[in-house]
Amino acid sequence: MSNQMRVLDFGDGSVPIQLDYPDSKIFSKCSSYGDRVPGTHWNEIAVHHNGRLEYSPNPEQIIMDALYQATDGADFFPVFYQRGKNVDTMLARNCKAAIDKLFKQRLSINLEGGASIPISIQLGVAQYRRDQITPTFHIARVVTRLMKQLIQRDGVDGLLNLDNFGGHPEFKNLVVSLGNPSILMNVCQVIHNDDNERFRLNGFILSNNRIRDIRPLTLLSNVDYALLDLRSNKIKSAERLCRALEQFRARELLLENNPIVKISNFPANIKSLESNFELVDGKPFNMLHKSVSPLDVEIDLEVDGARIDTNNMWKLPEFENSQHWHAFFIPDPIQEFNQEVFFDFFFIRLDPTLSNFYPCYYKYINTEHVFLVRNCFDQIAHLVNNCNLEMTIPTGDRIFRYYLRMNVSTVKQHHVDPEECIQKAVSQCYVAQNRMLNLERFHSRECLKDVMVSLSSPKILTYVLSVASRKFMTTCSEIRLCHNKILVLDGAHVLGMMGCLRAVDLSHNWVQDLSSIHSLGNLPLKSLVLHGNKLCRNYRLPSEYVRAVKEVFPQLTTLDGVDLQTNPGQSLQKNFLCDTGAYELVGAFLENYLREFENDEFRHNLYKYYSENSIFTLTCNYNVVQNHQTPKILQRLSKYNKHARNLRNKDYSKASDGVFIGSTYIVEILLQLPRVTHDFHSLQTDVMHYDGKGAVIYVAGLLRDEPPSTRNGHGGRTDIGDVLLGFSRQFVVTFDEANLGLGKRARRLKIANERLHITNPSKTAIRNAFSVNFPDLSERQVEEDSLDVKDHKLLLFQEVTGLISTWVTSIVEEADWDFERALKLFIQKNADHEIPDLAFA
């Protein structure tokens, strides 16, 4: 407060206010104004925030909300609000009750976040004169004008639009907010007293007004309205809401974006209003917690909209500028196709150069696939004029003819917005801990349940990636796009803003050749995953595949999970797996099995892989070159030939002699076979079938038949040394138990059928034999884990234990990054009650 005499002329025709501060007393930090009387003259209120709200988005709004809370409904109509660096000031008159309440709080107001700010009051700073600015008069004039300008929204006429009421231009010198109960009461009184216009009212739009208390609406009760829109306010108390609306009736109540809807017992806490309103936020009371489609409660598919079929396609141009919903009806009498397969066929007919096509609110109703679309007239025109309203099924060349109903519904506030849903879904897919955006099976995200987002559309895929690029410009290092039926990725340039992006997973899509993803080659990618795409079948040899990919992505260091930099010159295993779940078979089961088979001490452990119904067969067609060592080579091969199933002299009566059944019998045979060492660099693997219940695994390569350890009396070997053999093994495996282990993710595998075949190795295999050293498990040195490996260990440990990240890091580091030791340490600490409940997510 400056106490500087001045004159306030608002330029609106009102008499100026002359501030002369006749009483110099300024009250602060006290509970009484003594013998002074507020009277009807102007008082100055100062809020001493000392710059604490400088970086708040709307400091004035925060301060006024606190003042409205403090005055608690008493008449309080401030004018001439002035922002200051440390102090904000305003004038008010005829507000003795409000001033009394401020003094009762010792001239202090509490902000929403809990902070307290002191205020001061100087009474009678200016004498009130007739025709000076009067807030109630201005408010009444604006409300009366708006009552003569009722609007229509969502097909409902006669709505009084008081949205963001305080933002009206006429209030530039006033502080007006319907969050102030006294102003809301004043507005309701003006409406109630206007007998000429009041009966035309069909509803109220009161959104975006920071309203907490709606008690003044009781003045407008006992009338049947169409709408009461209270969205985006500050309504928290269900008890106050129900009490205030006890006699208020309308077809629909809108409460979206109020704190009350986020309370755990909502909507049960407003159950008493069920007879007052048919709908709340577009849904019946009993379906408030469910996603309700307009097809369920708003649209009558028999009569709403105008039908377009092959008989009246000429009418379609009438709807070119329509913003409304249009319905598609595709007959399928026996529901031959589920939703996903149906859209796979339907999307084939769309034109990828036209507007994005987002089917919404899909349902199968009375033998028909039904969905809604809007804002895509060019696509609709294409489907009508160029495709003749026909959906063709490529297999069998069948045709499904369909029809449309145009303009079945206007677009309402609570209806789904496809692009908003996409933005929300992309945000939810980001894993900050791993700096990874996981868009795998993107269409199945929960927030996309009412809209079909197909990444097989290049334009939609580009839009999704552009959203991701803007949101995670400097943070995302990996994007997973697997299982999205992607055919073409020609908009990868939008990812150029992602300065940290180094890895993309495109596995299990529909990419047919590298030219379809050529735009990715302009990004500085280090890792790319392409397995499971049709393009992998274009190459006979792994080396051809690697060379082709490297031509487009020369900077790659990792392809399909294989490190090309650590092992230069190595070709990838021929391992185009039919499912990502099959990786555990190649990476875990197969390697462990072969390692145990190599070791005489561990070979008996193979018993765990077999059951009493397992079958094992062995064949051998190694052709021995006749020379002086032939007898010794034949001796070394004798153990294979002894148990081989080869038919000798075509004696079919002995065909079953080489079939071994049962775990005990099979392991007994395996223990009689020679000790070997596999050349893991030579292995080629293939999982030809995998469905989660079983798999067929094939592995072929080179092994070394180790010489016997027996020595002669002179200390030299009596054998001829190492013998290199070609081999192949085929396993048919099943999973007989699941949900095992701490993380309930482990499965127990059993070999149902196995065939081992021994043959001559190729000259190339012999020439390159054991050119890369793969140390035995027992000889492997413990190396420092890479950062990626450590990240994966932390994520896995968190998933297994349920701990928050800080505790995960602490325990794993204490165990020197040894996962097994870390698990034991966790179990011990948990048993000793050293881990608090707060440590668990």
Side-chain angles (χ1 to χ4, degrees):
M1 298 184 182
S2 65
N3 286 349
Q4 180 181 354
M5 295 182 63
R6 60 193 190 279
V7 175
L8 305 179
D9 188 349
F10 297 112
D12 58 357
S14 62
V15 175
I17 299 175
Q18 182 174 336
L19 293 168
D20 50 16
Y21 300 95
D23 188 345
S24 61
K25 174 67 175 177
I26 299 176
F27 296 94
S28 63
K29 299 180 181 178
C30 59
S31 58
S32 171
Y33 42 77
D35 57 355
R36 270 111 170 143
V37 179
T40 60
H41 298 306
W42 293 103
N43 309 297
E44 188 170 68
I45 300 169
V47 181
H48 302 268
H49 53 76
N50 294 322
R52 292 163 62 184
L53 303 176
E54 180 180 359
Y55 299 107
S56 300
N58 195 331
E60 177 182 342
Q61 195 172 71
I62 294 172
I63 289 171
M64 293 311 303
D65 280 349
L67 281 169
Y68 297 149
Q69 286 286 92
T71 55
D72 192 25
D75 283 353
F76 184 59
F77 303 96
V79 303
F80 193 57
Y81 189 102
Q82 295 293 294
R83 282 282 295 146
K85 184 176 181 181
N86 297 306
V87 181
D88 288 10
T89 61
M90 68 198 80
L91 301 177
R93 60 176 292 272
N94 257 357
C95 55
K96 181 179 183 301
I99 289 177
D100 287 344
K101 291 185 177 183
L102 292 174
F103 272 94
K104 190 174 182 179
Q105 298 187 47
R106 295 189 60 80
L107 297 181
S108 176
I109 57 175
N110 296 315
L111 305 184
E112 191 166 354
S116 177
I117 291 182
I119 66 174
S120 61
I121 296 179
Q122 190 169 1
L123 301 176
V125 297
Q127 186 176 2
Y128 171 71
R129 295 180 181 179
R130 185 178 177 181
D131 294 332
Q132 285 182 339
I133 190 169
T134 305
T136 53
F137 171 76
H138 285 273
I139 292 170
R141 187 163 63 183
V142 171
V143 172
T144 301
R145 186 183 308 133
L146 291 174
M147 288 183 69
K148 297 179 185 296
Q149 302 169 354
L150 302 181
I151 69 167
Q152 181 192 71
R153 196 180 72 185
D154 295 340
V156 179
D157 294 313
L159 298 178
L160 178 59
N161 184 14
L162 300 177
D163 177 74
N164 189 26
F165 184 65
H168 197 280
E170 192 163 331
F171 300 146
K172 64 180 180 179
N173 296 315
L174 310 178
V175 183
V176 175
S177 170
L178 297 188
N180 180 350
S182 61
I183 292 181
L184 181 58
M185 176 60 78
N186 181 247
V187 169
C188 291
Q189 288 171 341
V190 173
I191 296 171
H192 183 266
N193 294 334
D194 191 342
D195 292 335
N196 293 327
E197 303 294 337
R198 176 161 54 96
F199 297 106
R200 296 175 53 236
L201 293 178
N202 198 22
F204 305 91
I205 301 174
L206 293 165
S207 49
N208 298 298
N209 280 300
R210 304 184 72 81
I211 298 172
R212 298 173 185 268
D213 189 347
I214 62 168
R215 282 177 294 179
L217 289 181
T218 55
L219 277 176
L220 308 175
S221 298
N222 296 309
V223 178
D224 292 320
Y225 301 105
L227 177 70
L228 176 59
D229 185 351
L230 293 172
R231 288 172 301 163
S232 300
N233 282 297
K234 294 285 186 178
I235 300 170
K236 293 182 180 179
S237 171
E239 183 180 352
R240 287 184 180 181
L241 178 72
C242 294
R243 194 185 310 128
L245 297 181
E246 186 176 3
Q247 303 297 324
F248 196 102
R249 299 187 302 274
R251 182 177 182 273
E252 183 169 13
L253 171 65
L254 299 180
L255 288 174
E256 187 180 17
N257 292 329
N258 277 281
I260 189 174
V261 302
K262 299 178 182 178
I263 299 174
S264 59
N265 62 340
F266 180 85
N269 54 1
I270 62 167
K271 179 83 172 164
S272 61
L273 297 178
E274 188 169 8
S275 59
N276 298 52
F277 303 93
E278 294 180 28
L279 304 172
V280 176
D281 291 327
K283 306 174 185 177
F285 258 87
N286 61 348
M287 302 183 76
L288 279 178
H289 272 322
K290 302 175 182 178
S291 176
V292 179
S293 165
L295 296 173
D296 295 325
V297 296
E298 299 174 25
I299 299 174
D300 185 339
L301 296 176
E302 296 293 329
V303 298
D304 289 343
R307 177 169 173 142
I308 298 291
D309 54 32
T310 53
N311 296 316
N312 64 346
M313 294 190 297
W314 53 271
K315 287 187 175 182
L316 185 66
E318 297 176 12
F319 306 96
E320 182 173 2
N321 299 316
S322 171
Q323 302 295 312
H324 299 333
W325 288 108
H326 313 301
F328 277 67
F329 300 80
I330 296 87
D332 181 8
I334 60 174
Q335 199 171 1
E336 185 176 350
F337 308 112
N338 61 27
Q339 178 181 351
E340 185 172 348
V341 174
F342 162 73
F343 279 120
D344 285 345
F345 289 129
F346 188 87
F347 287 149
I348 293 174
R349 305 308 298 270
L350 296 178
D351 186 334
T353 66
L354 301 179
S355 299
N356 289 344
F357 191 85
Y358 298 111
C360 299
Y361 300 116
Y362 165 87
K363 291 191 73 175
Y364 181 78
I365 307 174
N366 297 330
T367 74
E368 293 177 316
H369 300 280
V370 183
F371 59 85
L372 305 179
V373 296
R374 64 185 183 93
N375 292 340
C376 56
F377 180 81
D378 55 348
Q379 285 283 13
I380 295 175
H382 164 72
L383 293 171
V384 173
N385 299 323
N386 299 332
C387 301
N388 203 34
L389 291 173
E390 293 178 350
M391 182 179 80
T392 303
I393 309 300
T395 54
D397 294 327
R398 290 182 297 147
I399 294 177
F400 286 73
R401 294 178 173 84
Y402 55 91
Y403 63 96
L404 315 176
R405 294 196 78 92
M406 307 297 288
N407 286 1
V408 292
S409 172
T410 58
V411 179
K412 300 182 180 178
Q413 294 286 341
H414 60 274
H415 287 173
V416 66
D417 183 319
E419 293 193 348
E420 285 185 6
C421 292
I422 288 173
Q423 293 169 19
K424 183 177 179 181
V426 170
S427 296
Q428 293 178 353
C429 290
Y430 186 62
V431 183
Q433 183 180 11
N434 211 26
R435 301 179 66 192
M436 183 258 292
L437 183 63
N438 186 6
L439 300 177
E440 180 175 0
R441 291 187 172 90
F442 185 65
H443 65 277
S444 63
R445 300 289 168 176
E446 177 64 21
C447 49
L448 297 178
K449 61 185 177 182
D450 289 328
V451 54
M452 183 64 187
V453 178
S454 173
L455 299 192
S456 63
S457 163
K459 289 186 68 174
I460 293 178
L461 175 58
T462 299
Y463 175 73
V464 170
L465 295 180
S466 67
V467 170
S469 188
R470 291 193 299 269
K471 285 181 178 290
F472 311 112
M473 190 180 301
T474 61
T475 57
C476 183
S477 63
E478 178 183 358
I479 295 180
R480 291 185 182 174
L481 286 163
C482 36
H483 295 283
N484 279 305
K485 302 175 182 176
I486 295 171
L487 290 159
V488 177
L489 203 170
D490 56 9
H493 62 277
V494 299
L495 297 175
M497 291 187 291
M498 285 187 168
C500 298
L501 184 63
R502 295 294 179 271
V504 172
D505 183 349
L506 274 170
S507 60
H508 298 285
N509 280 294
W510 293 353
V511 180
Q512 306 220 18
D513 52 65
L514 287 170
S515 63
S516 300
I517 57 171
H518 195 275
S519 64
L520 277 175
N522 298 321
L523 302 177
L525 298 181
K526 297 297 182 184
S527 174
L528 182 64
V529 182
L530 295 174
H531 68 76
N533 283 280
K534 292 183 179 179
L535 72 85
C536 296
R537 303 175 188 171
N538 298 341
Y539 308 96
R540 290 188 308 109
L541 298 174
S543 56
E544 293 179 13
Y545 169 62
V546 176
R547 280 196 302 272
V549 174
K550 289 282 282 183
E551 285 181 8
V552 181
F553 305 94
Q555 72 281 15
L556 280 190
T557 59
T558 303
L559 176 59
D560 291 348
V562 174
D563 192 337
L564 304 178
Q565 199 172 40
T566 304
N567 302 305
Q570 288 193 55
S571 63
L572 276 67
Q573 292 178 337
K574 194 172 183 180
N575 186 13
F576 305 125
L577 306 184
C578 56
D579 193 281
T580 51
Y583 267 111
E584 66 177 280
L585 303 177
V586 175
F589 158 70
L590 194 55
E591 181 176 1
N592 290 338
Y593 182 96
L594 297 179
R595 291 290 187 187
E596 291 179 10
F597 184 82
E598 289 178 342
N599 196 308
D600 288 341
E601 297 181 8
F602 297 148
R603 192 177 288 186
H604 67 278
N605 291 337
L606 297 176
Y607 183 89
K608 64 191 174 192
Y609 293 112
Y610 300 94
S611 69
E612 292 308 308
N613 297 317
S614 298
I615 299 174
F616 173 79
T617 58
L618 186 153
T619 56
C620 178
N621 68 349
Y622 189 98
N623 296 317
V624 180
V625 178
Q626 296 294 323
N627 56 39
H628 66 284
Q629 291 188 331
T630 297
K632 294 181 179 179
I633 293 178
L634 290 174
Q635 183 181 1
R636 293 277 289 276
L637 293 172
S638 62
K639 292 186 178 181
Y640 295 106
N641 288 319
K642 176 181 178 182
H643 303 293
R645 198 186 179 195
N646 303 55
L647 292 178
R648 297 175 178 82
N649 300 320
K650 296 185 179 182
D651 187 355
Y652 294 100
S653 64
K654 297 182 179 181
S656 62
D657 289 355
V659 179
F660 309 103
I661 302 175
S663 53
T664 303
Y665 199 9
I666 293 172
V667 173
E668 181 180 330
I669 299 300
L670 295 179
L671 290 173
Q672 296 179 37
L673 298 180
R675 185 166 64 92
V676 300
T677 300
H678 296 91
D679 181 1
F680 281 86
H681 175 52
S682 72
L683 299 188
Q684 294 183 344
T685 60
D686 191 8
V687 178
M688 297 176 287
H689 168 77
Y690 178 83
D691 61 5
K693 298 179 181 179
V696 178
I697 309 168
Y698 177 84
V699 57
L702 188 79
L703 61 79
R704 181 173 58 220
D705 184 282
E706 301 290 355
S709 58
T710 308
R711 297 177 181 272
N712 62 20
H714 298 91
R717 292 184 181 272
T718 59
D719 206 88
I720 59 174
D722 299 337
V723 175
L724 298 178
L725 305 175
F727 83 98
S728 65
R729 296 187 97 128
Q730 182 171 299
F731 301 91
V732 178
V733 300
T734 60
F735 302 105
D736 64 349
E737 288 189 63
N739 302 320
L740 304 176
L742 283 173
K744 303 300 181 183
R745 297 291 183 88
R747 298 181 293 180
R748 180 167 288 119
L749 175 150
K750 292 292 184 182
I751 299 172
N753 198 321
E754 177 188 357
R755 179 183 64 80
L756 170 61
H757 179 65
I758 301 297
T759 187
N760 297 82
S762 68
K763 293 181 179 180
T764 302
I766 294 174
R767 184 169 59 250
N768 297 325
F770 296 93
S771 58
V772 178
N773 182 35
F774 286 82
D776 186 78
L777 286 173
S778 60
E779 300 172 355
R780 292 182 184 178
Q781 296 180 352
V782 177
E783 298 179 355
E784 178 70 17
D785 286 333
S786 68
L787 289 177
D788 285 343
V789 172
K790 287 182 176 180
D791 283 345
H792 281 88
K793 283 187 177 181
L794 291 175
L795 288 172
L796 181 58
F797 194 78
Q798 185 174 42
E799 185 173 342
V800 170
T801 62
L803 292 172
I804 61 177
S805 58
T806 51
W807 275 84
V808 167
T809 304
S810 173
I811 292 177
V812 176
E813 284 183 346
E814 187 177 344
D816 294 327
W817 298 93
D818 185 307
F819 197 83
E820 183 176 356
R821 196 189 313 166
L823 284 175
K824 291 179 180 178
L825 189 60
F826 163 72
I827 293 171
Q828 184 61 48
K829 285 180 177 287
N830 200 32
D832 294 341
H833 304 289
E834 295 181 19
I835 303 178
D837 292 341
L838 293 175
F840 292 91

